[in-house]
């Protein structure tokens, strides 16, 4: 049972099933539209659901096959420019993996560093050229508040840092009310790159699109990297994803995106309530994963290996603490965007694993 990766694999709603039944129709419609028309329709739907405006310069919205492709482009920029990157910790492991593969200098920035009071001090200590955050963060669910976001932007302006912000899980939390991330970034004049993704949100069997949005001064370099990577994303994928996004706009994220995740979080906590695991993330966490704390004495690597023998895959906390892996020894991450029956069976296996390991240590 795969409870490891955070890709969306939850059941479709009735209206989403109707979209799937229309795939032949959508395929032929996509062939009749230009790439620019399909991209603009996708962007308009995506940003409307996010509660964010679209720049007049639509060329600064670059589409790719996945968020990983977009991350690779940004890493290439950092590597070529020899930029020191302050990367959030903990965070999902492919960001640090790609950065290290390209020999980019990394320094850790903790979630506790990112408060209004602590961030200016942390920035002065680390002296980064790039600040790379994930908000909402995977695995913890931590999210930048409006005051923290404003402080971050101001710190980047003061120190002439580039801000890279991964917002792949944005649709699991309410959109900003009374303020806009993109408007603040544009008004600030800082160098920035925002990474967006559909793969964590809609259960489309890996039909997904990554989105890279950058400030005007970053465009020339990012466009060259983007152009080297691909010419365009699939017209059919754009058409399908636009339908899924518009469906969420019509029905609300609380009825089209969140139900399975909320139900599965409840299932997991109910089954594990009397086990050797505690929940770190909030009940209404803005990410589709749960971050679990093992009791003292249990090691996440041992727990994961034992769980695999039982037939369920979760991820060890050491994967997420890229700078100090031992800080993750007592954590495991469980993906929630799954079928509830699968979650129930997987949670029972995790409970049995925890009980058996605790008995061995007794």
């Amino acid at each position: 049972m795969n409870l490891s990766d955070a890709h969306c694999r939850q059941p479709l709603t009735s209206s989403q099933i109707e979209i799937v039944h229309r795939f032949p129709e959508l395929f032929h419609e996509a062939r009749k539209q230009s790439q620019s028309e399909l991209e603009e329709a996708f962007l308009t739907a995506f940003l409307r659901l996010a509660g964010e405006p679209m720049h007049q310069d639509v060329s600064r919205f670059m589409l790719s096959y996945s968020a990983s492709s977009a991350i690779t482009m940004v890493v290439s920029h950092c590597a070529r420019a020899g930029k020191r990157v302050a990367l959030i910790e903990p965070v999902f492991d492919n960001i640090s993996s790609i950065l290290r593969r390209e020999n980019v200098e990394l320094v850790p920035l903790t979630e506790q560093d990112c408060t209004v009071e602590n961030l200016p001090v942390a920035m002065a200590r680390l002296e980064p050229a790039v600040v790379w955050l994930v908000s909402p963060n995977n695995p913890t669910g931590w999210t930048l508040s409006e005051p923290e976001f404003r402080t971050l932007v101001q710190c980047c302006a003061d120190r002439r840092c580039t801000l890279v912000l991964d917002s792949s899980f944005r649709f699991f939390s309410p959109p900003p009310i009374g303020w806009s991330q993109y408007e603040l970034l544009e008004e600030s004049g800082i160098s920035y790159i925002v990474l967006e993704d559909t793969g964590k949100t809609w259960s489309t069997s890996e039909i997904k699109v990554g989105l890279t949005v950058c400030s005007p001064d970053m465009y020339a370099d990012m466009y060259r990297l983007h152009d080297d990577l691909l010419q365009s994303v699939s017209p059919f994928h754009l058409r399908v994803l636009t339908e899924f996004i518009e469906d969420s706009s019509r029905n609300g994220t609380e009825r089209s995106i969140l139900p399975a995740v909320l139900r599965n979080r409840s299932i997991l906590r109910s089954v594990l309530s009397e086990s050797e695991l505690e929940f770190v993330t909030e009940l209404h966490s803005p990410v589709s994963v749960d971050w679990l704390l093992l009791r003292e004495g249990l090691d996440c690597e041992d727990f994961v290996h034992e769980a695999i023998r039982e037939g369920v895959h979760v991820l060890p906390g050491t994967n997420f603490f890229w700078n100090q892996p031992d800080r993750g020894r007592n954590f495991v991450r469980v993906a929630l965007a799954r079928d509830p029956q699968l979650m129930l069976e997987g949670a029972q296996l995790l409970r049995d694993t925890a009980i058996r390991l605790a008995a061995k240590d007794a």
Side-chain angles (χ1 to χ4, degrees), residues 1 25 84 94 101 118 178 183 214 264 273-274 280 325:
M1 295 181 185
E25 171 191 340
R84 176 202 294 239
N94 74 329
R101 185 182 69 203
N118 295 342
E183 285 182 348
C214 69
N264 286 339
S273 60
E274 297 180 3
V280 181

Side-chain angles (χ1 to χ4, degrees), residues 45-335:
F46 186 97
L47 292 167
R48 183 190 301 121
L49 184 62
E52 290 285 352
M54 185 158 62
H55 310 328
Q56 290 183 343
D57 182 7
V58 294
S59 65
R60 287 194 280 133
F61 294 85
M62 292 169 279
L63 305 180
S64 54
Y65 295 125
S66 67
S68 296
S69 299
I71 289 169
T72 300
M73 290 190 298
V74 181
V75 170
S76 294
H77 165 80
C78 295
R80 288 166 50 187
K83 292 184 174 181
R84 176 202 294 239
V85 175
L87 177 64
I88 192 77
E89 187 188 41
V91 73
F92 66 103
D93 56 359
N94 74 329
I95 297 179
S96 60
S97 176
I98 298 172
L99 282 161
R100 283 175 160 166
R101 185 182 69 203
E102 297 300 323
N103 297 313
V104 175
E105 182 184 2
L106 291 179
V107 290
L109 186 68
T110 68
E111 294 174 352
Q112 292 73 30
D113 285 331
C114 295
T115 64
V116 171
E117 298 78 17
N118 295 342
L119 187 59
V121 177
M123 294 278 281
R125 181 183 78 249
L126 299 173
E127 296 185 337
V130 175
V131 178
W132 195 317
L133 301 183
V134 179
S135 175
N137 195 17
N138 169 15
T140 63
W142 167 84
T143 305
L144 283 163
S145 66
E146 180 185 356
E148 289 167 345
F149 190 86
R150 289 182 180 275
T151 301
L152 172 65
V153 170
Q154 187 60 54
C155 285
C156 288
D158 292 343
R159 305 190 70 85
R160 297 185 178 180
C161 290
T162 298
L163 173 61
V164 179
L165 180 66
D166 187 319
S167 298
S168 295
F169 287 86
R170 72 156 64 242
F171 293 111
F172 292 96
S173 59
I177 298 176
W179 67 289
S180 160
Q181 290 180 344
Y182 281 110
E183 285 182 348
L184 279 177
L185 290 170
E186 286 287 290
E187 291 168 0
S188 71
I190 68 168
S191 300
Y192 74 83
I193 300 170
V194 179
L195 303 175
E196 309 272 11
D197 186 28
T198 66
K200 311 298 189 299
T201 308
W202 290 280
S203 188
T204 50
S205 296
E206 302 301 326
I207 292 177
K208 55 189 177 181
V209 167
L211 175 59
T212 306
V213 190
C214 69
S215 55
D217 62 304
M218 301 287 295
Y219 176 70
D221 190 43
M222 291 306 300
Y223 178 77
R224 282 194 297 270
L225 293 166
H226 181 264
D227 194 47
D228 287 344
L229 186 66
L230 78 167
Q231 289 296 314
S232 61
V233 297
S234 162
F236 176 61
H237 289 186
L238 287 172
R239 188 69 187 85
V240 167
L241 289 167
T242 300
E243 287 290 322
F244 271 80
I245 296 168
E246 290 179 341
D247 174 81
S248 292
S249 290
R250 286 190 299 271
N251 295 303
T253 57
E254 68 279 4
R255 288 186 291 276
S256 62
I257 294 172
L258 299 179
V261 170
L262 294 175
R263 181 179 177 188
N264 286 339
R265 202 183 301 277
S266 177
I267 289 171
L268 187 67
R269 291 171 187 237
S270 175
V271 172
L272 298 182
S273 60
E274 297 180 3
S275 71
E276 301 295 320
L277 297 157
E278 297 179 14
F279 294 90
V280 181
T281 46
E282 297 178 359
L283 183 60
H284 296 287
S285 171
V287 288
S288 55
V289 298
D290 247 334
W291 189 226
L292 276 59
L293 177 66
L294 302 171
R295 76 160 176 80
E296 191 67 31
L298 286 182
D299 182 271
C300 66
E301 302 282 353
D302 294 337
F303 183 90
V304 168
H305 290 153
E306 188 70 21
I308 288 173
R309 281 194 285 270
E310 286 293 320
V312 58
H313 289 240
V314 294
L315 293 181
T318 47
N319 282 26
F320 300 88
F321 284 90
W322 56 268
N323 184 56
Q324 292 181 288
D326 283 345
R327 291 183 59 200
R329 285 283 169 199
N330 297 117
F331 295 95
V332 292
R333 197 201 71 177
V334 181

